[in-house]
Amino acid sequence: MSKPSLPTTEHTARLRDALRKAAFTADGCLDLLGAGAYAALSRAETVPALRATRGDGPLESLVRLFLLQRPVPYAALRRALPVTDEAIAGGWLLRDGDEVRATVDVRPYAGDGAGEDWWIVSDLGCAVGGANGIGTTPGVDRADLVLGVGGASTTLAGITVREPVGSALDLGTGSGVQALHASRHATQVTATDLNPRALHFARLTLALSGAAEPVLRQGSLFEPVGDERYDLIVSNPPFVISPGSRFTYRDGGMSGDDLCRTLVQEAGAHLNDGGYCQLLANWQHTDGEDWRERLSSWVPRGCDAWIVQREVQDVTQYAELWLRDGGDHLADPAAYAARYDAWLDAFEQRKVKGVGFGWITLRKTGSDRPSVIAEEWPHPVEQPLGPHIATWFGRQDFLRTHDDAALLAARFRLADEVVQEQVGLPGAEDPEHVVLRANRGMRRATKVDTVGAGFAGVCDGSLTAGAILDAIAQLLGEDPVVLRDRTPDAIRMLVEQGFLEPHPATARA
């Protein structure tokens, strides 16, 4: 088959209306396929969906055409998609005799759950997470293939702070997933990518989903935007730490984790005051170096930062993951072994013992006392997490501007859905320890003493922290001055971790 031309954005409104009318949406496909078959598609496993689409209804035809990438009879597709001829003329479809094939992957996407129907456009055979690695598109170098939406994309979308902003930058846009999300709350969206093919796919994704076309610029990192500044920067960059640069979508072409380091270090100069930069990243764990200190050193001056490590893989697991992603495990065993050896050589030369994966959020505050927290949190979190990330940075502002005296004069309220657990032997008069557990946001749990538990339990905004401590001191028969002196650190911890929230009403004790 000859190389098909990329689709045009003409008539996307009519195509979108036709897809929606045929229920070719995230909800419609889930209803047709069922949860198991629908989830299998995200792993590029098609057999369950093929079994579920043996009928001749319009939705079955569209699922086979776009999601399963099978030829569909022209007559059947005309019934399912009245704009079939327009789609053929626009390059979305290719007719071969009595059959029609898709030229691109068009995947329904639930987006941010606001009730809108979106579609992500990417290269054929490039669903993220497939067992056999990325596929091929006739006439297209595999290095330039553009992937669709995957777990990393949805993770970044979920953690992004969704406040109304004037300007947003999607750096390394790929198929345009993050730019599409940003279009809902940013007046102007700019999308960049090193791969010009990706920029075209981003244009298709936003046009088909009914979003305004972003400003599209080609280039690496911040080069395409010069000295421009933004209220929000998001990036799912090519963060894979690999020996070489085989695939544009994943390999940054720099040594080790230098690409992620450079992105973080340069982000501050491209943020407006109060602006956020949020990205996914991989980072090296090297002998004799604490990863927390290493990543904290990346943070630019004048920025608060919250760095969360979600997972760590040893170098063999990491190499195998990305060798499978490239389909190398299906190649000649000797070639696979040589590539595997090259990965391990590169790690050995840099004394890398593991690779961390997680997210980094920066907020430009201009403070000379920045809050930089790097922590490991492999546990389940609530998504979308963006609102909780915004409140986390708000709490850092509060803590930075309140010394111990101001803290004791402030009022607090217990965060929503925080419960207390008492752990001890059955029948014991007193618990061995008390745990506060949050069921929102990061879903943290922390041990507290009797004072901490009692303090948190009565925080409803009606009394200052100092007044509460005085009452606890009287109940326990302690010196209130001593209790006031030794408790602020515990209060700060409960605020920083989100168990307590500053109440708008404050008064002097």
Side-chain angles (χ1 to χ4, degrees):
M1 183 186 297
S2 60
K3 174 185 176 182
S5 59
L6 284 172
T8 67
T9 57
E10 293 182 82
H11 312 302
T12 50
R14 285 171 52 81
L15 178 56
R16 177 172 64 252
D17 291 343
L19 295 176
R20 186 180 290 119
K21 185 175 181 180
F24 187 67
T25 63
D27 288 342
C29 291
L30 178 60
D31 289 342
L32 172 68
L33 300 177
Y38 198 60
L41 283 177
S42 67
R43 305 188 298 271
E45 298 290 353
T46 58
V47 172
L50 283 169
R51 293 173 60 86
T53 57
R54 289 178 288 196
D56 59 358
L59 185 53
E60 283 98 335
S61 295
L62 291 174
V63 169
R64 288 196 300 271
L65 177 73
F66 285 120
L67 299 189
L68 305 181
Q69 294 160 15
R70 298 295 197 274
V72 174
Y74 173 78
L77 188 58
R78 282 290 305 272
R79 293 192 296 271
L81 195 68
V83 296
T84 292
D85 290 336
E86 287 183 26
I88 292 172
W92 294 85
L93 306 173
L94 184 66
R95 183 172 181 180
D96 184 10
D98 293 333
E99 292 185 328
V100 179
R101 293 178 177 271
T103 63
V104 290
D105 185 310
V106 176
R107 198 155 296 249
Y109 180 52
D112 57 7
E116 288 196 74
D117 297 317
W118 290 345
W119 293 267
I120 307 300
V121 188
S122 62
D123 269 311
L124 294 171
C126 289
V128 178
N132 294 330
I134 63 168
T136 59
T137 293
V140 180
D141 189 332
R142 289 181 80 221
D144 295 329
L145 291 173
V146 179
L147 272 64
V149 65
S153 303
T154 56
T155 294
L156 179 57
I159 68 171
T160 299
V161 176
R162 299 291 173 199
E163 297 173 347
V165 294
S167 58
L169 170 64
D170 178 11
L171 191 153
T173 188
S175 55
V177 178
Q178 308 308 323
L180 181 57
H181 278 281
S183 71
R184 287 187 54 84
H185 63 100
T187 303
Q188 179 67 66
V189 178
T190 300
T192 69
D193 206 286
L194 183 63
N195 183 0
R197 186 177 180 83
L199 295 177
H200 189 81
F201 273 110
R203 179 183 286 114
L204 295 175
T205 288
L206 270 72
L208 186 58
S209 299
E213 180 166 321
V215 175
L216 299 171
R217 296 181 182 173
Q218 182 185 353
S220 177
L221 296 177
F222 290 104
E223 176 191 24
V225 299
D227 58 359
E228 294 177 18
R229 297 189 177 200
Y230 301 88
D231 302 312
L232 173 67
I233 300 171
V234 291
S235 184
N236 180 11
F239 53 66
V240 177
I241 302 172
S242 55
S245 184
R246 294 176 63 202
F247 300 107
T248 305
Y249 73 86
R250 74 171 203 193
D251 302 320
M254 295 186 182
S255 175
D257 52 18
D258 281 356
L259 182 136
C260 292
R261 176 184 56 79
T262 301
L263 201 164
V264 171
Q265 289 177 335
E266 295 182 356
H270 294 276
L271 285 174
N272 289 324
D273 291 342
Y276 288 93
C277 174
Q278 299 186 266
L279 65 141
L280 304 183
N282 277 178
W283 46 79
Q284 298 173 156
H285 285 230
T286 57
D287 283 334
E289 204 169 13
D290 187 303
W291 72 269
R292 295 172 181 83
E293 294 179 1
R294 184 165 178 271
L295 266 66
S296 295
S297 72
W298 295 359
V299 177
R301 295 181 64 180
C303 289
D304 285 358
W306 188 13
I307 302 164
V308 180
Q309 180 167 273
R310 298 288 287 157
E311 180 184 6
V312 182
Q313 290 185 316
D314 68 43
V315 293
T316 58
Q317 291 174 312
Y318 189 80
E320 290 162 12
L321 169 67
W322 294 109
L323 288 167
R324 286 194 301 273
D325 174 79
D328 296 302
H329 60 307
L330 303 176
D332 174 70
Y336 174 80
R339 287 195 185 278
Y340 198 157
D341 204 41
W343 282 74
L344 298 185
D345 273 347
F347 285 133
E348 184 177 346
Q349 290 169 10
R350 293 192 295 269
K351 299 182 179 179
V352 177
K353 58 183 179 180
V355 178
F357 169 80
W359 62 68
I360 300 173
T361 301
L362 308 177
R363 181 170 179 260
K364 189 166 186 177
T365 64
S367 174
D368 58 359
R369 293 189 297 123
S371 173
V372 178
I373 304 295
E375 63 173 320
E376 187 163 12
W377 191 256
H379 312 293
V381 300
E382 179 187 12
Q383 284 282 30
L385 194 65
H388 299 282
I389 290 178
T391 59
W392 185 92
F393 280 91
R395 293 195 301 271
Q396 307 314 304
D397 288 340
F398 173 87
L399 293 172
R400 179 168 38 232
T401 56
H402 284 68
D403 60 17
D404 286 356
L407 195 72
L408 293 175
R411 302 172 189 262
F412 300 93
R413 61 175 294 273
L414 190 66
D416 294 336
E417 296 190 38
V418 172
V419 297
Q420 177 178 303
E421 300 174 356
Q422 297 187 167
V423 181
L425 294 174
E429 183 176 347
D430 297 313
E432 293 179 13
H433 58 263
V434 178
V435 173
L436 296 182
R437 186 178 301 278
N439 292 313
R440 302 294 307 276
M442 295 291 282
R443 294 175 173 156
R444 297 185 186 275
T446 189
K447 291 182 181 180
V448 292
D449 60 14
T450 303
V451 172
F455 181 89
V458 297
C459 279
D460 60 4
S462 61
L463 295 173
T464 65
I468 293 173
L469 290 178
D470 290 345
I472 292 174
Q474 185 174 8
L475 286 172
L476 298 179
E478 293 195 26
D479 184 338
V481 175
V482 173
L483 194 60
R484 279 174 171 253
D485 285 344
R486 69 178 174 85
T487 306
D489 284 347
I491 297 174
R492 289 182 183 279
M493 182 274 292
L494 292 174
V495 172
E496 194 275 324
Q497 294 193 359
F499 293 100
L500 295 178
E501 297 174 350
H503 194 277
T506 58
R508 291 293 175 185

